[in-house]
Amino acid sequence: MGLNRTAKGIVLVPTLLLGGAFLAAGSWLDGPAASNRGLAISLGAILMGAGLLAQLLPEQPPEPEQEGPPRR
């Protein structure tokens, strides 16, 4: 089974949303949670990068449809 656009979209949307949320949390941290800023930014960058890299995977060409057995 090959990759298709729907599968790529299913991977892209959650990774971009979660990555953006982690990046936003990392940039707005205050108080005692500020010690986790590097972790939040790292996770956000990794998630966004993974989602975007999934879009670059090559798609396989469609398989040719086979007709039934030859008739005599």
Side-chain angles (χ1 to χ4, degrees):
M1 179 184 293
L3 295 173
N4 59 27
R5 286 184 178 219
T6 305
K8 286 183 176 184
I10 290 171
V11 169
L12 177 69
V13 172
T15 56
L16 289 183
L17 289 174
L18 284 171
F22 275 109
L23 287 175
S27 64
W28 291 333
L29 285 177
D30 286 334
S35 63
N36 293 329
R37 178 175 292 200
L39 177 63
I41 291 175
S42 299
L43 285 173
I46 289 170
L47 283 168
M48 291 189 83
L52 294 173
L53 284 175
Q55 297 301 306
L56 298 176
L57 292 174
E59 292 184 20
Q60 294 179 351
E63 296 178 10
E65 294 189 22
Q66 297 179 0
E67 296 180 14
R71 295 185 180 178
R72 295 181 188 181

